[in-house]
Amino acid sequence: MNSSDFIHTFVPGTSTRTLLLLHGTGGTENDLIPLGRSLDPAASLLSPRGKVLENGMPRFFRRLAEGVFDEEDLVRRTHELAEFVESAVARYRFDPERLVAVGYSNGANIAGGLLLLRPETLSGAALLRPMVPLVPPTMPNLSGKSVLIAAGRQDPIVSAEEAGTLATLLQGAGAAVTTSFEDAGHGLTQQTVETTRRWLSNQPTG
Ligand code: MLT
C-alpha cells in the first residue's frame, strides 16, 4: 500500500455529488455510510479509514491528548488524505468539483485541515462537532466554498467558543459558513442529521 492508499469504501451514486465521509476516533470506513446515504440518497460515497491507531482505535492524525494535536502529523496526514482523494477521483471517476466532506469529530478536524491546507480538494464541508485543527501560516482562499459547522452547546470536548473561532477563521478566508448550535453534547443527534441534510440540499449538485 503506498502512502496515499487508505482502506476505504466507495459506493457509487446516481448524481454528480460525492460525499467524503470522515469518521470519528475509533470509527471505520463503514460507520458513516448509513449517515451519508440518509443525507443524500443520490450521492456517491467515499469513506476512508484513518490510518493512525490510538490504543487500537483508528484516527486520521495523532494527538498528544484529547484536543491537543500533533500538528506535524496533522499536516502530513492532511496531505496524504488529499492525495488519496486525487487518486480516488482518477480511479472512480467522480467529479472533484462536487466533492463535499462530511466529517464527525476527528473526521471533522481533518476535513478542516483539508480546507485550510489543501482547499482545492473540497467544494464544501459539513463539520460535525469540529475544533480548530490548526492555523496555517498563510490562509487559503476559500471563496466559493460552503461550510457547515454543527456544534453542541453542551459538548464537553469542543467549547462553543472554539466552534465560533473556527467559523470566524473560515469566514475570514472567504468561505460561506453556516453555524448551527444545538442543545447537545459531542455525539450526533437526529437534529444534527436534519441540519446537515438541509444544508446539503442548498448546495449545488451539478
Ligand atoms: C480529535 O482528536 O480530533 C478531537 O479530540 C475529537 C476526537 O476525536 O475526540
Side-chain angles (χ1 to χ4, degrees), residues 30-81:
N30 298 317
D31 285 20
L32 297 186
I33 298 290
L35 172 68
R37 224 351 121 238
S38 94
L39 290 175
D40 184 344
S44 298
L45 307 175
L46 176 65
S47 185
R49 183 195 298 186
K51 286 201 263 191
V52 169
L53 286 181
E54 182 184 279
N55 301 322
M57 296 185 295
R59 288 175 50 84
F60 286 97
F61 56 87
R62 283 190 48 199
R63 64 179 164 183
L64 307 173
E66 192 170 270
V68 184
F69 301 150
D70 176 337
E71 195 165 311
E72 201 182 307
D73 192 62
L74 168 56
V75 170
R76 182 163 80 87
R77 301 288 176 183
T78 298
H79 288 294
E80 248 179 39
L81 184 60

Side-chain angles (χ1 to χ4, degrees), residues 131-146:
M131 302 173 73
V132 176
L134 80 169
V135 178
T138 312
M139 284 304 285
N141 177 0
L142 295 178
S143 53
K145 308 215 188 269
S146 298

Side-chain angles (χ1 to χ4, degrees), residues 105-121:
S105 189
N106 181 245
N109 295 337
I110 193 120
L114 286 173
L115 287 170
L116 292 166
L117 298 174
R118 295 292 291 263
E120 75 285 359
T121 311

Side-chain angles (χ1 to χ4, degrees), residues 9-22:
T9 298
F10 180 78
V11 185
T14 53
S15 76
T16 57
R17 177 188 284 154
T18 299
L19 299 181
L20 175 65
L21 303 173
L22 301 166

